Amino acid sequence: SATTMAIADDGQELAAGQYDLHVWDVASGQATRVPLDGALLRGFGFVPGQHGGLLVLDPWRVRLLERGTQRPLWTQYGTFAVTSPDHVGVAATRERIAIAQREWIDIRTVDTGATVTRLATKGLATSLSFSPDGTMLAASEGDVVEVFCGPER
């Protein structure tokens, strides 16, 4: 079963998961299981653009995987919502990735995964979304919604 899903910006791939993560080629319907190496899935999403990929978050690392092959492009280690029973929010633009933490959101670069800035929040955001132009980031958890202007900086 899947509690979270994402579709690539070009519409060619669909990812869905809860405890396992699978990626489907939309045209053929062919599914591929993404290796999680025994880790519990915490969040995932597609990074748009030619140099994008599939962002996969588990309690100890965040990885950007190449679309189609799931080959790791980079891995950053840390502690990501280890105590949360929920999936955490993940969102991306062509240049930046947003990852929800306990009481903040990390804004990271797409090319290396390095943290650019940290935004304070009112709790763990289970849903994140960038505006189409990347100038605003919306974060929500339950009935609390926060909007950040200029998170790309």
Side-chain angles (χ1 to χ4, degrees), residues 114-140:
T115 300
V116 174
T117 192
R118 185 168 276 180
L119 307 171
T121 63
K122 295 181 170 123
L124 175 63
T126 55
S127 182
L128 295 176
S129 182
F130 277 104
S131 62
D133 65 1
T135 60
M136 292 188 299
L137 176 68
S140 68

Side-chain angles (χ1 to χ4, degrees), residues 2 16 22 37 50-51 67 70-71 87-88 91-92 95 98 113 140:
H22 290 82
D37 305 325
Q50 179 181 356
H51 301 290
R67 285 186 50 192
Q70 282 85 41
R71 179 182 65 85
H87 287 270
V88 298
E95 291 86 29
S140 68

Side-chain angles (χ1 to χ4, degrees), residues 37 58-63 74-80 108 113:
D37 305 325
D58 67 42
W60 297 275
R61 67 189 169 180
V62 58
R63 299 179 290 161
W74 55 254
T75 302
Q76 290 282 332
Y77 292 90
T79 303
F80 301 98
R108 295 170 174 256

Side-chain angles (χ1 to χ4, degrees), residues 2 5 10 16 31 40 44 48 50 66 68-69 72 75 91 93 96 100 138 148 152:
M5 61 185 281
D10 61 8
L40 182 62
F44 63 89
Q50 179 181 356
E66 183 177 61
T69 68
T75 302
T93 68
R96 296 286 186 255
F148 300 90
E152 285 270 313

Side-chain angles (χ1 to χ4, degrees), residues 18-21 33-42 56-61 63:
Q18 179 176 4
Y19 301 110
D20 287 330
L21 179 58
R33 186 176 178 276
V34 175
L36 299 176
D37 305 325
L40 182 62
L41 183 65
R42 282 289 178 230
V56 179
L57 181 69
D58 67 42
W60 297 275
R61 67 189 169 180
R63 299 179 290 161

